Amino acid sequence: MSGRTTRLVCLHHAGGSPAVFGSWAQQAPEGVEVLPLALPGGPNAGSRRRYHRTEQLIPALVTELQEHLADDDYVLFGHSMGGLLAYLLTRHFEEHGGRRPRALAVAALGAPQVPWHDFAAEHDDEALIRWLHGIGGIPSWLLDHPAWLVPFLGRVRDDVAVCRSYRHVPQERRLAVPIHVYGGAEDPLVSAQILERWTEIGERVEITSLPGRHFLVSEDSGQLSRAVFDLALGGRPLA
């Protein structure tokens, strides 16, 4: 692939932002350009999300991808919620036409036919902060500044609502785009059993267990990013 650049399109976890992929953009090897997608929101950094259902959000992301990519070779990567969105984008292009990604990579996400855990609705703000801290989603130092977390909690609730809105309809045929699934060996939310169910979704599915818990991107020691960079550098686009 000498002389060619692959776009690595990245989608973040619930409540997150494209900034989580900042280090990936800095560390990307020659031949890979990291393109983090921002979910549509209001005019301010602390605004809530614009869309609350997948059938509203996916068309907006399709339009954004088409504007950014043109005829570029690309790979889709999503972490947790971002993995669901990456899957739905891939499925959209396979079913409705358009330039498909060369590969789909997801981390810390069970297969899409597994219902999403509605943890946001089960907790008030104080309990949600404790729960997210317990799974590694909030650093300890932020616990002393709960007011700073209010915009973040709103986005978490919006994003979980998007994931909960998805109702899986089995595909007529499995995805032809290769699927690479990465799971944290100590992930309290996503078990090996529900990762394995990705084999029901694609014709070619590879599942890799990595050290770590749920937040594999922010806790990445380099294993995940190197694996995804290698994926972006290898192979050729599907016809």
Side-chain angles (χ1 to χ4, degrees), residues 69-190:
L69 293 174
D71 293 327
D72 294 334
D73 183 24
Y74 74 104
V75 167
L76 271 174
F77 170 78
H79 173 235
S80 194
M81 173 197 70
L84 175 62
L85 300 180
Y87 158 72
L88 291 175
L89 286 168
T90 303
R91 180 169 173 174
H92 173 91
F93 289 124
E94 282 216 347
E95 294 180 346
H96 301 287
R99 189 167 184 82
R100 297 176 294 171
R102 177 153 47 77
L104 166 64
V106 301
L109 177 74
Q113 67 271 36
V114 178
W116 191 270
H117 175 211
D118 197 2
F119 59 84
E122 295 174 0
H123 300 91
D124 60 20
D125 281 0
E126 183 178 345
L128 184 57
I129 289 171
R130 292 196 302 269
W131 188 86
L132 290 168
H133 175 256
I135 64 169
I138 294 177
S140 296
W141 65 268
L142 260 180
L143 298 181
D144 295 328
H145 305 279
W148 296 0
L149 290 167
V150 171
F152 166 70
L153 294 179
R155 291 192 295 272
V156 168
R157 294 187 186 280
D158 289 345
D159 290 346
V160 173
V162 167
C163 296
R164 288 284 296 169
S165 76
Y166 175 63
R167 296 293 181 267
H168 185 72
V169 177
Q171 302 153 206
E172 291 185 5
R173 57 181 179 272
R174 296 183 182 188
L175 287 182
V177 170
I179 303 173
H180 298 259
V181 180
Y182 303 94
E186 295 85 40
D187 190 333
L189 303 183
V190 183

Side-chain angles (χ1 to χ4, degrees), residues 1-2 4 6 73-75 102-103 178 180 204 229-238:
M1 288 183 59
S2 176
R4 297 189 61 180
T6 297
D73 183 24
Y74 74 104
V75 167
R102 177 153 47 77
H180 298 259
R204 291 169 285 174
F229 291 155
D230 286 347
L231 177 62
L233 285 170
R236 302 294 297 178
L238 292 170

Side-chain angles (χ1 to χ4, degrees), residues 17 25 45 48 52 62 87-88 165-166 218 220 222:
S17 77
R48 301 287 290 265
H52 298 90
V62 166
Y87 158 72
L88 291 175
S165 76
Y166 175 63
S218 54
D220 185 24

